[in-house]
Amino acid sequence: MKFISLILLACVSFLVGCSEPTERIENKLTPYLQEDLKFMVAETIRSSKDKSVLLDTPYYRVKDFRLFEGAEARIYAAYAEVDFFIYRDIAMHEKRKYRYDVNTRGWDRYKKEWKFGADSLK
């Protein structure tokens, strides 16, 4: 009986240890987005050789962030939709979608597309 109790306790500890705190999931997104922004700016500079097309301070906005629970969270625990604004005189931005993979404990970009329109919050 003690052996079974010990095994059950070990299993519960393992399962509790596998789940990741919500704020850690959110905090892991920020550096990932900053790297994407840096890459987009660097690629634009490399391809156009003209820094004047860029905003003085390129930025991004998280438009949608959701945490999943239950069966939905077995593979992906969270979702984020982010708009990146880098161009000065072009009313265009890149929308990227991300999901948090429970197995790798990291964010995964799975879609990106260009959209016309300026930042609706400016």
PDB file of all heavy atoms in Angstrom, residues 20-57:
ATOM      1  N   GLU A  20       3.153  24.718 -16.843  1.00  0.00           N
ATOM      2  CA  GLU A  20       3.992  25.904 -16.721  1.00  0.00           C
ATOM      3  C   GLU A  20       3.123  27.085 -16.295  1.00  0.00           C
ATOM      4  O   GLU A  20       2.027  27.263 -16.802  1.00  0.00           O
ATOM      5  CB  GLU A  20       4.652  26.187 -18.066  1.00  0.00           C
ATOM      6  CG  GLU A  20       5.768  27.145 -17.982  1.00  0.00           C
ATOM      7  CD  GLU A  20       6.656  27.104 -19.221  1.00  0.00           C
ATOM      8  OE1 GLU A  20       6.346  26.388 -20.167  1.00  0.00           O
ATOM      9  OE2 GLU A  20       7.655  27.809 -19.214  1.00  0.00           O
ATOM     10  N   PRO A  21       3.595  27.910 -15.378  1.00  0.00           N
ATOM     11  CA  PRO A  21       2.810  29.057 -14.931  1.00  0.00           C
ATOM     12  C   PRO A  21       2.472  30.008 -16.083  1.00  0.00           C
ATOM     13  O   PRO A  21       3.288  30.223 -16.981  1.00  0.00           O
ATOM     14  CB  PRO A  21       3.703  29.754 -13.912  1.00  0.00           C
ATOM     15  CG  PRO A  21       4.709  28.734 -13.511  1.00  0.00           C
ATOM     16  CD  PRO A  21       4.861  27.807 -14.675  1.00  0.00           C
ATOM     17  N   THR A  22       1.279  30.570 -16.022  1.00  0.00           N
ATOM     18  CA  THR A  22       0.797  31.468 -17.064  1.00  0.00           C
ATOM     19  C   THR A  22       1.728  32.641 -17.301  1.00  0.00           C
ATOM     20  O   THR A  22       2.041  32.972 -18.443  1.00  0.00           O
ATOM     21  CB  THR A  22      -0.600  32.001 -16.676  1.00  0.00           C
ATOM     22  OG1 THR A  22      -1.475  30.884 -16.534  1.00  0.00           O
ATOM     23  CG2 THR A  22      -1.149  32.937 -17.716  1.00  0.00           C
ATOM     24  N   GLU A  23       2.198  33.268 -16.241  1.00  0.00           N
ATOM     25  CA  GLU A  23       3.052  34.440 -16.434  1.00  0.00           C
ATOM     26  C   GLU A  23       4.378  34.085 -17.087  1.00  0.00           C
ATOM     27  O   GLU A  23       4.948  34.882 -17.824  1.00  0.00           O
ATOM     28  CB  GLU A  23       3.272  35.196 -15.130  1.00  0.00           C
ATOM     29  CG  GLU A  23       4.022  34.428 -14.069  1.00  0.00           C
ATOM     30  CD  GLU A  23       4.082  35.200 -12.754  1.00  0.00           C
ATOM     31  OE1 GLU A  23       3.058  35.739 -12.332  1.00  0.00           O
ATOM     32  OE2 GLU A  23       5.184  35.252 -12.189  1.00  0.00           O
ATOM     33  N   ARG A  24       4.870  32.876 -16.880  1.00  0.00           N
ATOM     34  CA  ARG A  24       6.107  32.459 -17.542  1.00  0.00           C
ATOM     35  C   ARG A  24       5.874  32.308 -19.040  1.00  0.00           C
ATOM     36  O   ARG A  24       6.716  32.685 -19.855  1.00  0.00           O
ATOM     37  CB  ARG A  24       6.638  31.156 -16.955  1.00  0.00           C
ATOM     38  CG  ARG A  24       8.010  30.807 -17.540  1.00  0.00           C
ATOM     39  CD  ARG A  24       8.596  29.551 -16.995  1.00  0.00           C
ATOM     40  NE  ARG A  24       8.770  29.640 -15.563  1.00  0.00           N
ATOM     41  CZ  ARG A  24       8.935  28.586 -14.772  1.00  0.00           C
ATOM     42  NH1 ARG A  24       8.939  27.378 -15.288  1.00  0.00           N
ATOM     43  NH2 ARG A  24       9.096  28.726 -13.489  1.00  0.00           N
ATOM     44  N   ILE A  25       4.720  31.779 -19.410  1.00  0.00           N
ATOM     45  CA  ILE A  25       4.368  31.641 -20.827  1.00  0.00           C
ATOM     46  C   ILE A  25       4.305  33.027 -21.469  1.00  0.00           C
ATOM     47  O   ILE A  25       4.857  33.258 -22.538  1.00  0.00           O
ATOM     48  CB  ILE A  25       3.021  30.894 -20.992  1.00  0.00           C
ATOM     49  CG1 ILE A  25       3.189  29.429 -20.600  1.00  0.00           C
ATOM     50  CG2 ILE A  25       2.505  31.010 -22.414  1.00  0.00           C
ATOM     51  CD1 ILE A  25       1.895  28.643 -20.550  1.00  0.00           C
ATOM     52  N   GLU A  26       3.654  33.967 -20.804  1.00  0.00           N
ATOM     53  CA  GLU A  26       3.554  35.331 -21.324  1.00  0.00           C
ATOM     54  C   GLU A  26       4.929  35.990 -21.409  1.00  0.00           C
ATOM     55  O   GLU A  26       5.245  36.657 -22.391  1.00  0.00           O
ATOM     56  CB  GLU A  26       2.638  36.173 -20.440  1.00  0.00           C
ATOM     57  CG  GLU A  26       1.183  35.778 -20.546  1.00  0.00           C
ATOM     58  CD  GLU A  26       0.291  36.668 -19.711  1.00  0.00           C
ATOM     59  OE1 GLU A  26       0.296  37.894 -19.940  1.00  0.00           O
ATOM     60  OE2 GLU A  26      -0.399  36.131 -18.831  1.00  0.00           O
ATOM     61  N   ASN A  27       5.736  35.810 -20.377  1.00  0.00           N
ATOM     62  CA  ASN A  27       7.062  36.430 -20.357  1.00  0.00           C
ATOM     63  C   ASN A  27       7.988  35.883 -21.433  1.00  0.00           C
ATOM     64  O   ASN A  27       8.885  36.587 -21.894  1.00  0.00           O
ATOM     65  CB  ASN A  27       7.713  36.263 -18.983  1.00  0.00           C
ATOM     66  CG  ASN A  27       7.025  37.096 -17.927  1.00  0.00           C
ATOM     67  OD1 ASN A  27       6.325  38.050 -18.219  1.00  0.00           O
ATOM     68  ND2 ASN A  27       7.214  36.714 -16.675  1.00  0.00           N
ATOM     69  N   LYS A  28       7.798  34.644 -21.838  1.00  0.00           N
ATOM     70  CA  LYS A  28       8.627  34.058 -22.897  1.00  0.00           C
ATOM     71  C   LYS A  28       8.301  34.652 -24.263  1.00  0.00           C
ATOM     72  O   LYS A  28       9.120  34.577 -25.179  1.00  0.00           O
ATOM     73  CB  LYS A  28       8.426  32.544 -22.950  1.00  0.00           C
ATOM     74  CG  LYS A  28       9.124  31.788 -21.854  1.00  0.00           C
ATOM     75  CD  LYS A  28       8.912  30.302 -22.061  1.00  0.00           C
ATOM     76  CE  LYS A  28       9.678  29.465 -21.065  1.00  0.00           C
ATOM     77  NZ  LYS A  28       9.485  28.029 -21.318  1.00  0.00           N
ATOM     78  N   LEU A  29       7.114  35.236 -24.407  1.00  0.00           N
ATOM     79  CA  LEU A  29       6.710  35.785 -25.702  1.00  0.00           C
ATOM     80  C   LEU A  29       7.481  37.063 -26.038  1.00  0.00           C
ATOM     81  O   LEU A  29       7.884  37.264 -27.183  1.00  0.00           O
ATOM     82  CB  LEU A  29       5.206  36.055 -25.717  1.00  0.00           C
ATOM     83  CG  LEU A  29       4.617  36.629 -27.003  1.00  0.00           C
ATOM     84  CD1 LEU A  29       4.874  35.686 -28.180  1.00  0.00           C
ATOM     85  CD2 LEU A  29       3.126  36.878 -26.830  1.00  0.00           C
ATOM     86  N   THR A  30       7.712  37.924 -25.077  1.00  0.00           N
ATOM     87  CA  THR A  30       8.338  39.227 -25.316  1.00  0.00           C
ATOM     88  C   THR A  30       9.693  39.136 -26.020  1.00  0.00           C
ATOM     89  O   THR A  30       9.889  39.789 -27.051  1.00  0.00           O
ATOM     90  CB  THR A  30       8.446  40.029 -24.005  1.00  0.00           C
ATOM     91  OG1 THR A  30       7.125  40.180 -23.469  1.00  0.00           O
ATOM     92  CG2 THR A  30       9.065  41.385 -24.235  1.00  0.00           C
ATOM     93  N   PRO A  31      10.648  38.350 -25.516  1.00  0.00           N
ATOM     94  CA  PRO A  31      11.936  38.274 -26.233  1.00  0.00           C
ATOM     95  C   PRO A  31      11.793  37.704 -27.645  1.00  0.00           C
ATOM     96  O   PRO A  31      12.507  38.117 -28.568  1.00  0.00           O
ATOM     97  CB  PRO A  31      12.805  37.359 -25.373  1.00  0.00           C
ATOM     98  CG  PRO A  31      12.053  37.073 -24.140  1.00  0.00           C
ATOM     99  CD  PRO A  31      10.669  37.588 -24.295  1.00  0.00           C
ATOM    100  N   TYR A  32      10.866  36.784 -27.823  1.00  0.00           N
ATOM    101  CA  TYR A  32      10.622  36.187 -29.134  1.00  0.00           C
ATOM    102  C   TYR A  32      10.134  37.265 -30.108  1.00  0.00           C
ATOM    103  O   TYR A  32      10.600  37.355 -31.252  1.00  0.00           O
ATOM    104  CB  TYR A  32       9.596  35.066 -28.992  1.00  0.00           C
ATOM    105  CG  TYR A  32       9.556  34.093 -30.134  1.00  0.00           C
ATOM    106  CD1 TYR A  32      10.491  33.068 -30.227  1.00  0.00           C
ATOM    107  CD2 TYR A  32       8.583  34.176 -31.110  1.00  0.00           C
ATOM    108  CE1 TYR A  32      10.454  32.159 -31.268  1.00  0.00           C
ATOM    109  CE2 TYR A  32       8.531  33.278 -32.150  1.00  0.00           C
ATOM    110  CZ  TYR A  32       9.472  32.271 -32.225  1.00  0.00           C
ATOM    111  OH  TYR A  32       9.428  31.392 -33.264  1.00  0.00           O
ATOM    112  N   LEU A  33       9.215  38.122 -29.659  1.00  0.00           N
ATOM    113  CA  LEU A  33       8.699  39.202 -30.504  1.00  0.00           C
ATOM    114  C   LEU A  33       9.773  40.242 -30.798  1.00  0.00           C
ATOM    115  O   LEU A  33       9.859  40.753 -31.918  1.00  0.00           O
ATOM    116  CB  LEU A  33       7.493  39.861 -29.827  1.00  0.00           C
ATOM    117  CG  LEU A  33       6.271  38.974 -29.617  1.00  0.00           C
ATOM    118  CD1 LEU A  33       5.179  39.742 -28.891  1.00  0.00           C
ATOM    119  CD2 LEU A  33       5.769  38.393 -30.923  1.00  0.00           C
ATOM    120  N   GLN A  34      10.588  40.547 -29.815  1.00  0.00           N
ATOM    121  CA  GLN A  34      11.667  41.512 -30.023  1.00  0.00           C
ATOM    122  C   GLN A  34      12.671  41.010 -31.051  1.00  0.00           C
ATOM    123  O   GLN A  34      13.160  41.782 -31.884  1.00  0.00           O
ATOM    124  CB  GLN A  34      12.347  41.842 -28.693  1.00  0.00           C
ATOM    125  CG  GLN A  34      11.453  42.652 -27.786  1.00  0.00           C
ATOM    126  CD  GLN A  34      12.016  42.819 -26.385  1.00  0.00           C
ATOM    127  OE1 GLN A  34      12.956  42.149 -25.987  1.00  0.00           O
ATOM    128  NE2 GLN A  34      11.421  43.728 -25.624  1.00  0.00           N
ATOM    129  N   GLU A  35      12.973  39.728 -31.023  1.00  0.00           N
ATOM    130  CA  GLU A  35      13.871  39.147 -32.025  1.00  0.00           C
ATOM    131  C   GLU A  35      13.254  39.195 -33.414  1.00  0.00           C
ATOM    132  O   GLU A  35      13.944  39.490 -34.395  1.00  0.00           O
ATOM    133  CB  GLU A  35      14.241  37.705 -31.656  1.00  0.00           C
ATOM    134  CG  GLU A  35      15.230  37.605 -30.525  1.00  0.00           C
ATOM    135  CD  GLU A  35      16.555  38.293 -30.850  1.00  0.00           C
ATOM    136  OE1 GLU A  35      17.098  38.103 -31.956  1.00  0.00           O
ATOM    137  OE2 GLU A  35      17.036  39.046 -29.982  1.00  0.00           O
ATOM    138  N   ASP A  36      11.948  38.910 -33.516  1.00  0.00           N
ATOM    139  CA  ASP A  36      11.276  39.001 -34.811  1.00  0.00           C
ATOM    140  C   ASP A  36      11.327  40.428 -35.346  1.00  0.00           C
ATOM    141  O   ASP A  36      11.562  40.650 -36.531  1.00  0.00           O
ATOM    142  CB  ASP A  36       9.821  38.534 -34.701  1.00  0.00           C
ATOM    143  CG  ASP A  36       9.670  37.043 -34.920  1.00  0.00           C
ATOM    144  OD1 ASP A  36      10.684  36.345 -35.079  1.00  0.00           O
ATOM    145  OD2 ASP A  36       8.514  36.559 -34.940  1.00  0.00           O
ATOM    146  N   LEU A  37      11.098  41.409 -34.477  1.00  0.00           N
ATOM    147  CA  LEU A  37      11.132  42.808 -34.887  1.00  0.00           C
ATOM    148  C   LEU A  37      12.530  43.192 -35.375  1.00  0.00           C
ATOM    149  O   LEU A  37      12.681  43.817 -36.438  1.00  0.00           O
ATOM    150  CB  LEU A  37      10.695  43.709 -33.738  1.00  0.00           C
ATOM    151  CG  LEU A  37      10.623  45.200 -34.031  1.00  0.00           C
ATOM    152  CD1 LEU A  37       9.602  45.493 -35.126  1.00  0.00           C
ATOM    153  CD2 LEU A  37      10.286  45.971 -32.767  1.00  0.00           C
ATOM    154  N   LYS A  38      13.559  42.804 -34.641  1.00  0.00           N
ATOM    155  CA  LYS A  38      14.937  43.088 -35.050  1.00  0.00           C
ATOM    156  C   LYS A  38      15.233  42.467 -36.412  1.00  0.00           C
ATOM    157  O   LYS A  38      15.862  43.086 -37.271  1.00  0.00           O
ATOM    158  CB  LYS A  38      15.937  42.538 -34.033  1.00  0.00           C
ATOM    159  CG  LYS A  38      16.052  43.332 -32.776  1.00  0.00           C
ATOM    160  CD  LYS A  38      17.082  42.677 -31.867  1.00  0.00           C
ATOM    161  CE  LYS A  38      17.004  43.149 -30.459  1.00  0.00           C
ATOM    162  NZ  LYS A  38      17.910  42.410 -29.567  1.00  0.00           N
ATOM    163  N   PHE A  39      14.783  41.231 -36.605  1.00  0.00           N
ATOM    164  CA  PHE A  39      15.021  40.536 -37.868  1.00  0.00           C
ATOM    165  C   PHE A  39      14.324  41.256 -39.024  1.00  0.00           C
ATOM    166  O   PHE A  39      14.908  41.441 -40.094  1.00  0.00           O
ATOM    167  CB  PHE A  39      14.541  39.086 -37.777  1.00  0.00           C
ATOM    168  CG  PHE A  39      14.740  38.322 -39.039  1.00  0.00           C
ATOM    169  CD1 PHE A  39      15.992  37.826 -39.378  1.00  0.00           C
ATOM    170  CD2 PHE A  39      13.681  38.099 -39.909  1.00  0.00           C
ATOM    171  CE1 PHE A  39      16.188  37.125 -40.564  1.00  0.00           C
ATOM    172  CE2 PHE A  39      13.863  37.400 -41.085  1.00  0.00           C
ATOM    173  CZ  PHE A  39      15.113  36.914 -41.421  1.00  0.00           C
ATOM    174  N   MET A  40      13.071  41.675 -38.814  1.00  0.00           N
ATOM    175  CA  MET A  40      12.330  42.368 -39.867  1.00  0.00           C
ATOM    176  C   MET A  40      13.031  43.673 -40.260  1.00  0.00           C
ATOM    177  O   MET A  40      13.151  43.993 -41.451  1.00  0.00           O
ATOM    178  CB  MET A  40      10.899  42.663 -39.404  1.00  0.00           C
ATOM    179  CG  MET A  40      10.046  41.428 -39.256  1.00  0.00           C
ATOM    180  SD  MET A  40       8.475  41.773 -38.441  1.00  0.00           S
ATOM    181  CE  MET A  40       7.715  42.818 -39.656  1.00  0.00           C
ATOM    182  N   VAL A  41      13.487  44.418 -39.276  1.00  0.00           N
ATOM    183  CA  VAL A  41      14.191  45.674 -39.537  1.00  0.00           C
ATOM    184  C   VAL A  41      15.495  45.399 -40.284  1.00  0.00           C
ATOM    185  O   VAL A  41      15.807  46.062 -41.281  1.00  0.00           O
ATOM    186  CB  VAL A  41      14.442  46.442 -38.221  1.00  0.00           C
ATOM    187  CG1 VAL A  41      15.415  47.593 -38.434  1.00  0.00           C
ATOM    188  CG2 VAL A  41      13.125  46.945 -37.641  1.00  0.00           C
ATOM    189  N   ALA A  42      16.252  44.428 -39.840  1.00  0.00           N
ATOM    190  CA  ALA A  42      17.528  44.094 -40.484  1.00  0.00           C
ATOM    191  C   ALA A  42      17.313  43.641 -41.929  1.00  0.00           C
ATOM    192  O   ALA A  42      18.076  44.039 -42.828  1.00  0.00           O
ATOM    193  CB  ALA A  42      18.252  43.009 -39.686  1.00  0.00           C
ATOM    194  N   GLU A  43      16.291  42.836 -42.168  1.00  0.00           N
ATOM    195  CA  GLU A  43      16.001  42.372 -43.531  1.00  0.00           C
ATOM    196  C   GLU A  43      15.592  43.539 -44.437  1.00  0.00           C
ATOM    197  O   GLU A  43      15.967  43.577 -45.603  1.00  0.00           O
ATOM    198  CB  GLU A  43      14.901  41.307 -43.514  1.00  0.00           C
ATOM    199  CG  GLU A  43      15.385  39.953 -43.070  1.00  0.00           C
ATOM    200  CD  GLU A  43      16.395  39.364 -44.037  1.00  0.00           C
ATOM    201  OE1 GLU A  43      16.078  39.194 -45.231  1.00  0.00           O
ATOM    202  OE2 GLU A  43      17.527  39.071 -43.597  1.00  0.00           O
ATOM    203  N   THR A  44      14.833  44.466 -43.905  1.00  0.00           N
ATOM    204  CA  THR A  44      14.408  45.624 -44.695  1.00  0.00           C
ATOM    205  C   THR A  44      15.609  46.493 -45.041  1.00  0.00           C
ATOM    206  O   THR A  44      15.754  46.942 -46.186  1.00  0.00           O
ATOM    207  CB  THR A  44      13.352  46.443 -43.929  1.00  0.00           C
ATOM    208  OG1 THR A  44      12.241  45.594 -43.642  1.00  0.00           O
ATOM    209  CG2 THR A  44      12.883  47.633 -44.740  1.00  0.00           C
ATOM    210  N   ILE A  45      16.486  46.718 -44.082  1.00  0.00           N
ATOM    211  CA  ILE A  45      17.697  47.511 -44.336  1.00  0.00           C
ATOM    212  C   ILE A  45      18.586  46.811 -45.357  1.00  0.00           C
ATOM    213  O   ILE A  45      19.113  47.430 -46.273  1.00  0.00           O
ATOM    214  CB  ILE A  45      18.458  47.771 -43.024  1.00  0.00           C
ATOM    215  CG1 ILE A  45      17.671  48.737 -42.141  1.00  0.00           C
ATOM    216  CG2 ILE A  45      19.855  48.325 -43.301  1.00  0.00           C
ATOM    217  CD1 ILE A  45      18.231  48.886 -40.737  1.00  0.00           C
ATOM    218  N   ARG A  46      18.724  45.503 -45.201  1.00  0.00           N
ATOM    219  CA  ARG A  46      19.580  44.738 -46.122  1.00  0.00           C
ATOM    220  C   ARG A  46      19.033  44.783 -47.551  1.00  0.00           C
ATOM    221  O   ARG A  46      19.786  44.929 -48.508  1.00  0.00           O
ATOM    222  CB  ARG A  46      19.691  43.294 -45.659  1.00  0.00           C
ATOM    223  CG  ARG A  46      20.683  42.454 -46.458  1.00  0.00           C
ATOM    224  CD  ARG A  46      20.793  41.032 -45.941  1.00  0.00           C
ATOM    225  NE  ARG A  46      19.569  40.274 -46.023  1.00  0.00           N
ATOM    226  CZ  ARG A  46      19.113  39.694 -47.134  1.00  0.00           C
ATOM    227  NH1 ARG A  46      19.781  39.782 -48.248  1.00  0.00           N
ATOM    228  NH2 ARG A  46      17.991  39.009 -47.116  1.00  0.00           N
ATOM    229  N   SER A  47      17.723  44.693 -47.709  1.00  0.00           N
ATOM    230  CA  SER A  47      17.156  44.635 -49.054  1.00  0.00           C
ATOM    231  C   SER A  47      17.001  46.008 -49.701  1.00  0.00           C
ATOM    232  O   SER A  47      17.140  46.140 -50.909  1.00  0.00           O
ATOM    233  CB  SER A  47      15.801  43.927 -49.030  1.00  0.00           C
ATOM    234  OG  SER A  47      14.869  44.671 -48.283  1.00  0.00           O
ATOM    235  N   SER A  48      16.744  47.054 -48.908  1.00  0.00           N
ATOM    236  CA  SER A  48      16.526  48.359 -49.520  1.00  0.00           C
ATOM    237  C   SER A  48      17.739  49.282 -49.421  1.00  0.00           C
ATOM    238  O   SER A  48      17.834  50.252 -50.161  1.00  0.00           O
ATOM    239  CB  SER A  48      15.329  49.058 -48.882  1.00  0.00           C
ATOM    240  OG  SER A  48      15.640  49.485 -47.579  1.00  0.00           O
ATOM    241  N   LYS A  49      18.637  48.998 -48.481  1.00  0.00           N
ATOM    242  CA  LYS A  49      19.831  49.812 -48.254  1.00  0.00           C
ATOM    243  C   LYS A  49      19.475  51.260 -47.883  1.00  0.00           C
ATOM    244  O   LYS A  49      20.287  52.161 -47.998  1.00  0.00           O
ATOM    245  CB  LYS A  49      20.739  49.814 -49.482  1.00  0.00           C
ATOM    246  CG  LYS A  49      21.068  48.450 -50.035  1.00  0.00           C
ATOM    247  CD  LYS A  49      22.375  47.961 -49.503  1.00  0.00           C
ATOM    248  CE  LYS A  49      22.857  46.755 -50.256  1.00  0.00           C
ATOM    249  NZ  LYS A  49      22.366  45.498 -49.818  1.00  0.00           N
ATOM    250  N   ASP A  50      18.223  51.494 -47.479  1.00  0.00           N
ATOM    251  CA  ASP A  50      17.774  52.843 -47.159  1.00  0.00           C
ATOM    252  C   ASP A  50      17.016  52.821 -45.834  1.00  0.00           C
ATOM    253  O   ASP A  50      15.895  52.334 -45.760  1.00  0.00           O
ATOM    254  CB  ASP A  50      16.871  53.361 -48.277  1.00  0.00           C
ATOM    255  CG  ASP A  50      16.444  54.797 -48.074  1.00  0.00           C
ATOM    256  OD1 ASP A  50      16.984  55.471 -47.182  1.00  0.00           O
ATOM    257  OD2 ASP A  50      15.552  55.238 -48.826  1.00  0.00           O
ATOM    258  N   LYS A  51      17.629  53.377 -44.810  1.00  0.00           N
ATOM    259  CA  LYS A  51      17.017  53.376 -43.479  1.00  0.00           C
ATOM    260  C   LYS A  51      15.868  54.368 -43.360  1.00  0.00           C
ATOM    261  O   LYS A  51      15.080  54.292 -42.432  1.00  0.00           O
ATOM    262  CB  LYS A  51      18.064  53.684 -42.401  1.00  0.00           C
ATOM    263  CG  LYS A  51      19.071  52.599 -42.204  1.00  0.00           C
ATOM    264  CD  LYS A  51      20.016  52.966 -41.086  1.00  0.00           C
ATOM    265  CE  LYS A  51      21.090  51.917 -40.933  1.00  0.00           C
ATOM    266  NZ  LYS A  51      22.018  52.217 -39.848  1.00  0.00           N
ATOM    267  N   SER A  52      15.763  55.284 -44.299  1.00  0.00           N
ATOM    268  CA  SER A  52      14.726  56.308 -44.195  1.00  0.00           C
ATOM    269  C   SER A  52      13.312  55.749 -44.392  1.00  0.00           C
ATOM    270  O   SER A  52      12.348  56.417 -44.042  1.00  0.00           O
ATOM    271  CB  SER A  52      14.984  57.436 -45.191  1.00  0.00           C
ATOM    272  OG  SER A  52      14.804  56.977 -46.516  1.00  0.00           O
ATOM    273  N   VAL A  53      13.191  54.554 -44.936  1.00  0.00           N
ATOM    274  CA  VAL A  53      11.854  53.962 -45.101  1.00  0.00           C
ATOM    275  C   VAL A  53      11.302  53.444 -43.775  1.00  0.00           C
ATOM    276  O   VAL A  53      10.106  53.217 -43.651  1.00  0.00           O
ATOM    277  CB  VAL A  53      11.859  52.818 -46.147  1.00  0.00           C
ATOM    278  CG1 VAL A  53      12.289  53.325 -47.504  1.00  0.00           C
ATOM    279  CG2 VAL A  53      12.688  51.648 -45.698  1.00  0.00           C
ATOM    280  N   LEU A  54      12.187  53.308 -42.784  1.00  0.00           N
ATOM    281  CA  LEU A  54      11.774  52.750 -41.492  1.00  0.00           C
ATOM    282  C   LEU A  54      11.332  53.839 -40.520  1.00  0.00           C
ATOM    283  O   LEU A  54      11.799  54.968 -40.570  1.00  0.00           O
ATOM    284  CB  LEU A  54      12.939  51.977 -40.865  1.00  0.00           C
ATOM    285  CG  LEU A  54      13.404  50.741 -41.608  1.00  0.00           C
ATOM    286  CD1 LEU A  54      14.675  50.206 -40.973  1.00  0.00           C
ATOM    287  CD2 LEU A  54      12.324  49.680 -41.609  1.00  0.00           C
ATOM    288  N   LEU A  55      10.459  53.460 -39.633  1.00  0.00           N
ATOM    289  CA  LEU A  55      10.095  54.333 -38.518  1.00  0.00           C
ATOM    290  C   LEU A  55      11.324  54.581 -37.658  1.00  0.00           C
ATOM    291  O   LEU A  55      12.234  53.742 -37.618  1.00  0.00           O
ATOM    292  CB  LEU A  55       9.026  53.668 -37.657  1.00  0.00           C
ATOM    293  CG  LEU A  55       7.623  53.536 -38.234  1.00  0.00           C
ATOM    294  CD1 LEU A  55       6.775  52.631 -37.338  1.00  0.00           C
ATOM    295  CD2 LEU A  55       6.972  54.897 -38.368  1.00  0.00           C
ATOM    296  N   ASP A  56      11.346  55.690 -36.955  1.00  0.00           N
ATOM    297  CA  ASP A  56      12.457  55.954 -36.037  1.00  0.00           C
ATOM    298  C   ASP A  56      12.514  54.867 -34.961  1.00  0.00           C
ATOM    299  O   ASP A  56      13.595  54.446 -34.568  1.00  0.00           O
ATOM    300  CB  ASP A  56      12.297  57.324 -35.376  1.00  0.00           C
ATOM    301  CG  ASP A  56      12.481  58.459 -36.378  1.00  0.00           C
ATOM    302  OD1 ASP A  56      13.183  58.247 -37.382  1.00  0.00           O
ATOM    303  OD2 ASP A  56      11.907  59.530 -36.144  1.00  0.00           O
ATOM    304  N   THR A  57      11.344  54.440 -34.508  1.00  0.00           N
ATOM    305  CA  THR A  57      11.263  53.376 -33.504  1.00  0.00           C
ATOM    306  C   THR A  57      10.230  52.354 -33.965  1.00  0.00           C
ATOM    307  O   THR A  57       9.039  52.492 -33.665  1.00  0.00           O
ATOM    308  CB  THR A  57      10.851  53.944 -32.128  1.00  0.00           C
ATOM    309  OG1 THR A  57      11.729  55.018 -31.785  1.00  0.00           O
ATOM    310  CG2 THR A  57      10.925  52.877 -31.061  1.00  0.00           C
TER     311      THR A  57
END
